[in-house]
Amino acid sequence: TPEDIQALRELLEKGTKSPGTYLPGRRGEDHLQVITVINFKGGSGKTTTAAHLAQKLALDGYRVLAIDLDPQASLSALHGVQPEFDLENGGTIYDAIRYDDPVPLTQIIQKTYFTNLDLIPGNLELMEYEHETPRAIIERSGKIFFTRIGDALAEVEAKYDVVVIDCPPQLGFLTMSALSAATAILVTVHPQMLDVMSMCQFLLMTSNLLGVVADAGADMNYDWMRYVVTRYEPGDGPQNQMVSFMRSLFGENVLNHPVLKSTAISDAGITKQTLYEVEKSAFNRSTYERAMESLNAVNGEIEALIQQSWGRSGK
């Protein structure tokens, strides 16, 4: 079981002379990695990417906290939380960042059925933050809005190696708060002309708004920013042209590996599961293996970036 594997990791790590061989997470002065997954346009595979990244890191021995910042709460549903039933009395990150009587973040973190992976679920209550922040800005009440997620994460920083934040598909106060708390940014892109155009508009707006936030005192320096191509069909000529166009524009900031469009991933989602959970026998073998290889390659690139941000070249 994953619990057994983690116990073996901890046992073997104690006996090795090379720290990080079996537990690849933070050591010494390594800072918490906060990866914010964003896109302005729905359907870009943002939640799918965030969920598989969080789960793969947890399976590889990292201590991971996943935060669902999207009021639609798809990331929560993938991990067995039914927002409309399970969170009737709160339980989202809104409780920890609201302007009146916030609660400690530890009170809203939930364990998942994945070893090493905890979750802060989301629901429609998150929209209250979008509604309350303008009034708080006018009244100058409490801490500045863009520091609130970062301040909340500071309470539990020692417990985790990586935080993965699934942002809503809009550029509101929640997204700007997540970008202010982030140490790294992952932009999901579906390689079609309208999606790439939408992404460019999103990045322009984000740049302008974050410039204002930076002038107000936020730290907008990131360890890395990458674009990941999602729902990619290798045999689609126009998609290949768009990927080539993106690589000519953004160079090495586009991950080398794309996330393939796969019936294995979409069919797993129907049962509120990821590819790391479903039974392999439920799919055509080659379909499953192509999808798994694609996800592992993308997540492996991101893991290498995490290690580099800690000054290490490998696990």
Side-chain angles (χ1 to χ4, degrees):
T1 67
E3 291 87 352
D4 295 332
I5 293 172
Q6 180 63 19
L8 283 170
R9 286 183 182 277
E10 293 171 0
L11 179 64
L12 292 169
E13 183 72 17
K14 291 178 182 177
T16 184
K17 295 180 180 179
S18 302
T21 302
Y22 301 100
L23 293 176
R26 296 165 63 194
R27 305 197 297 269
E29 299 299 317
D30 293 343
H31 61 278
L32 177 69
Q33 276 282 293
V34 182
I35 303 173
T36 298
V37 186
I38 60 170
N39 194 302
F40 188 61
K41 200 171 190 298
S44 67
K46 179 175 53 60
T47 298
T48 300
T49 302
H52 284 93
L53 173 61
Q55 291 182 1
K56 184 60 165 67
L57 290 172
L59 289 169
D60 285 347
Y62 293 85
R63 301 169 302 163
V64 183
L65 173 64
I67 301 178
D68 194 347
L69 214 58
D70 189 344
Q72 297 176 73
S74 298
L75 184 70
S76 304
L78 276 174
H79 290 90
V81 177
Q82 301 180 86
E84 64 274 28
F85 301 116
D86 299 334
L87 303 174
E88 289 183 348
N89 299 315
T92 72
I93 199 170
Y94 170 71
D95 293 338
I97 63 175
R98 65 192 184 199
Y99 296 93
D100 60 319
D101 196 24
V103 304
L105 198 66
T106 51
Q107 291 186 16
I108 56 177
I109 293 175
Q110 298 188 17
K111 292 289 183 183
T112 71
Y113 44 84
F114 264 78
T115 303
N116 294 332
L117 177 59
D118 292 346
L119 173 72
I120 297 178
N123 68 2
L124 288 173
E125 187 181 44
L126 288 166
M127 289 304 299
E128 293 296 322
Y129 191 70
E130 302 287 353
H131 301 150
E132 292 177 358
T133 296
R135 185 178 73 246
I137 292 174
I138 294 172
E139 296 174 354
R140 298 182 179 275
S141 60
K143 295 178 181 177
I144 304 173
F145 79 89
F146 56 77
T147 68
R148 302 184 78 84
I149 290 179
D151 290 342
L153 287 176
E155 300 174 19
V156 297
E157 180 177 358
K159 296 182 178 180
Y160 299 101
D161 303 312
V162 183
V163 176
V164 178
I165 305 179
D166 183 26
C167 288
Q170 63 188 49
L171 189 55
F173 295 112
L174 284 169
T175 300
M176 285 192 285
S177 300
L179 288 169
S180 299
T183 61
I185 299 176
L186 188 64
V187 184
T188 55
V189 190
H190 184 217
Q192 290 189 345
M193 179 58 76
L194 292 178
D195 293 76
V196 175
M197 289 173 59
S198 173
M199 179 198 71
C200 290
Q201 291 298 313
F202 170 69
L203 292 175
L204 284 171
M205 288 188 294
T206 303
S207 175
N208 293 333
L209 286 171
L210 292 185
V212 175
V213 172
D215 291 341
D219 181 7
M220 310 311 293
N221 294 314
Y222 302 114
D223 293 330
W224 51 269
M225 175 181 177
R226 292 293 187 273
Y227 303 91
V228 56
V229 174
T230 58
R231 297 172 57 210
Y232 176 61
E233 299 175 75
D236 188 317
Q239 282 200 13
N240 287 323
Q241 290 180 329
M242 287 310 303
V243 171
S244 297
F245 177 60
M246 288 178 58
R247 294 195 189 283
S248 68
L249 281 178
F250 304 121
E252 65 178 15
N253 290 316
V254 181
L255 291 182
N256 292 321
H257 298 90
V259 177
L260 296 181
K261 182 178 181 180
S262 172
T263 55
I265 297 174
S266 56
D267 287 356
I270 292 174
T271 55
K272 296 183 179 179
Q273 291 179 295
T274 70
L275 207 63
Y276 293 127
E277 303 175 82
V278 293
E279 290 289 339
K280 182 178 180 179
S281 58
F283 304 98
N284 175 281
R285 179 177 176 179
S286 61
T287 300
Y288 175 89
E289 289 181 349
R290 278 198 303 270
M292 183 64 81
E293 183 180 356
S294 160
L295 288 168
N296 286 343
V298 168
N299 291 331
E301 280 193 74
I302 296 170
E303 183 180 1
L305 291 168
I306 292 171
Q307 291 289 324
Q308 288 171 20
S309 73
W310 290 331
R312 302 194 285 272
S313 58
K315 293 184 182 180

